[in-house]
Amino acid sequence: MGTTHLQQRAEASCRLDWLSLSLFAASASTQREQLAYCFFLAENTAQGGEWQQGAGRRFFANSLHHPSGLQVRWTGPEEEAMNQGLVSLDIRGDALAALDAEQRKAMVLDFAEMDGFKQCSRLDSQVTVVNPDATAESILQQVRKREIWIKGFSSYGEPSTKDQWGNPMTGATITWGSPKGATRCRTYNKQAEANWDQPAVRHEVQLRKQPARDRFNSLVELLRLEGEGAETKAEAHFVQSVLDQHMAYLDTSRLADRSDQQGWPERWARDSKKADWWKEVVNVVPTEMKTKWRLTKALEDAVEARDKQYGRITAKWIAKRVWIDGAALADARNEELTRAFVRMKDEDIEEVVALVPEEDQSQARKWMKDYRRRAAKRAEELPYLAE
């Protein structure tokens, strides 16, 4: 977090809380324009302070950090170093809080439409409730008793420093997911963390990797659909939708007598309603957003099922080709690839292309079509390959 945008008075909020963006430039002039915008952001979010040398020089030739909550790292297109031509920008919570909703909207759209924009690799969303019905401490007690739970997690974390009664000494924090996982959620006592003058609880979701990329694209789409003129509400709707999808606390009091989740019904989440107090966190009709890697999971499941059913046959066939027919192992394996790719349809190719980063999609599509064409030609030499 930055250190210049301090708040003593409690303030409810519903906004983005972190963005990690990357941009690519093939020319020095394009990169200068990208960096100029980053420096412009610092001028509009800062309440003083100067750029200083930042971390991350191991992976980039240059790194600067600004006390407003910005860090920018880059390697010039002509510099002989890692990540040539790449700009990496971290916009932290303090910097985002210093902008109003209209300014954040303009910034997100500016980056999305900027020449060389590559992707968003981290996106945090948060809702802060002042004088909440459910404090972080009361939520922690409910979680401990398994009266509420979040779908998709088998365990949670809480502060290690506690008093003799087991109460957190510096404010309650409930953490779901690992620090480097694709999805991590936190509920914590914001009053204790920020030294505010009123009770407050913050709920936040941290997304990385594919979920971050997909959610950022969904945010951009919502902002564009909203248009201009009216007061912007798209970001707040997006943030609440993200929280509702990834960290809605469900009422599991009917299952509280079971010490752990091992004895819970398989579809316990489907049959559970949201906790009564959750409505003070999410008060919109949320929009469900898809993650592209669901196709990846579907593919993994299909491959596992195929291996269970046909894996032994494939292994015996390859062994037969090597030890009876005298084929080289590499040739036998390539024959299997030929048998697979010759059956690949255009819609299969497009499903895979959708998982590939946008800048590589054309190349990936061409590679798959070329390989399929070569496979079809090789198939003519395999008399045992059925049409």
Side-chain angles (χ1 to χ4, degrees):
M1 291 289 187
T3 57
T4 61
H5 189 73
L6 300 177
Q7 296 176 307
Q8 298 299 322
R9 190 189 331 179
E11 181 178 330
S13 59
C14 173
R15 58 169 172 78
L16 300 174
D17 200 46
W18 187 300
L19 285 174
S20 291
L21 308 172
S22 58
L23 306 102
F24 178 78
S27 67
S29 59
T30 298
Q31 190 174 80
R32 281 196 297 270
E33 293 178 2
Q34 295 169 347
L35 292 173
Y37 192 89
C38 297
F39 298 144
F40 163 79
L41 272 182
E43 294 175 3
N44 283 271
T45 59
Q47 298 177 355
E50 300 291 336
W51 286 97
Q52 301 173 355
Q53 288 294 323
R57 295 292 294 275
R58 176 183 173 187
F59 302 103
F60 291 88
N62 312 279
S63 178
L64 292 175
H65 173 267
H66 196 278
S68 62
L70 295 173
Q71 177 164 319
V72 59
R73 293 164 291 177
W74 75 96
T75 299
E78 300 175 358
E79 291 185 276
E80 295 295 331
M82 292 182 64
N83 292 311
Q84 190 176 47
L86 193 67
V87 174
S88 175
L89 174 66
D90 290 334
I91 310 172
R92 305 185 183 187
D94 288 351
L96 291 164
L99 301 173
D100 62 32
E102 292 290 346
Q103 292 171 324
R104 290 194 297 272
K105 175 180 180 178
M107 178 199 68
V108 169
L109 291 177
D110 282 345
F111 275 116
E113 297 164 4
M114 187 176 294
D115 185 21
F117 176 75
K118 186 176 175 68
Q119 65 182 14
C120 172
S121 57
R122 176 176 169 182
L123 187 153
D124 293 9
S125 303
Q126 66 85 13
V127 171
T128 302
V129 183
V130 176
N131 291 316
D133 291 337
T135 64
E137 284 70 23
S138 66
I139 294 171
L140 176 57
Q141 293 302 320
Q142 287 183 289
V143 170
R144 285 174 172 176
K145 297 175 183 177
R146 299 294 197 276
E147 294 175 348
I148 56 174
W149 204 261
I150 296 179
K151 177 185 177 182
F153 298 100
S154 59
S155 62
Y156 70 97
E158 58 178 88
S160 57
T161 306
K162 304 170 187 174
D163 61 22
Q164 58 182 325
W165 297 283
N167 299 315
M169 298 182 65
T170 56
T173 298
I174 309 106
T175 305
W176 307 82
S178 63
K180 294 185 179 181
T183 303
R184 195 181 195 214
C185 308
R186 284 205 310 157
T187 293
Y188 63 94
N189 185 328
K190 185 62 180 177
Q191 181 186 28
E193 188 260 356
N195 193 29
W196 282 358
D197 59 354
Q198 297 179 68
V201 60
R202 174 166 288 187
H203 303 276
E204 64 182 28
V205 173
Q206 177 188 109
L207 300 174
R208 295 178 182 270
K209 304 175 184 178
Q210 192 65 43
R213 292 191 281 270
D214 288 345
R215 297 299 175 270
F216 182 82
N217 293 338
S218 297
L219 171 61
V220 170
E221 183 179 355
L222 287 173
L223 293 173
R224 285 172 174 165
L225 287 174
E226 183 180 53
E228 300 178 1
E231 177 186 0
T232 180
K233 297 180 181 179
E235 180 193 10
H237 183 93
F238 168 83
V239 166
Q240 292 185 57
S241 296
V242 168
L243 264 67
D244 196 72
Q245 184 167 336
H246 292 281
M247 72 171 300
Y249 282 89
L250 302 178
D251 183 349
T252 54
S253 55
R254 71 188 190 284
L255 306 170
D257 59 334
R258 308 181 188 186
S259 58
D260 56 45
Q261 287 185 288
Q262 297 299 319
W264 286 16
E266 182 178 352
R267 299 184 178 182
W268 66 267
R270 184 197 61 180
D271 300 327
S272 300
K273 296 181 179 179
K274 293 167 187 173
D276 288 340
W277 54 264
W278 185 246
K279 59 182 178 291
E280 68 180 2
V281 180
V282 175
N283 52 37
V284 302
V285 178
T287 300
E288 182 180 2
M289 290 166 282
K290 304 289 186 180
T291 300
K292 287 181 180 177
W293 69 7
R294 288 185 179 180
L295 172 59
T296 301
K297 182 63 167 60
L299 282 172
E300 291 173 351
D301 291 343
V303 169
E304 183 178 358
R306 180 206 65 184
D307 290 344
K308 286 180 179 178
Q309 187 169 1
Y310 301 112
R312 292 169 60 193
I313 296 174
T314 302
K316 288 190 289 185
W317 175 256
I318 292 177
K320 182 260 186 188
R321 292 286 294 132
V322 171
W323 291 101
I324 298 176
D325 300 337
L329 177 59
D331 290 339
R333 294 175 65 181
N334 282 333
E335 288 173 5
E336 287 303 308
L337 282 175
T338 296
R339 297 160 71 92
F341 265 86
V342 77
R343 291 177 169 82
M344 196 175 198
K345 298 182 178 180
D346 287 343
E347 55 263 36
D348 300 327
I349 292 176
E350 292 307 316
E351 285 183 355
V352 177
V353 166
L355 301 175
V356 177
E358 187 173 352
E359 67 273 13
D360 298 326
Q361 287 184 353
S362 295
Q363 184 178 355
R365 182 183 292 107
K366 182 178 184 302
W367 179 86
M368 283 183 276
K369 288 187 176 181
D370 286 347
Y371 200 98
R372 182 179 61 180
R373 187 180 65 254
R374 293 196 300 271
K377 187 174 181 180
R378 288 195 300 269
E380 296 174 0
E381 304 170 3
L382 303 179
Y384 52 81
L385 182 58
E387 294 294 334

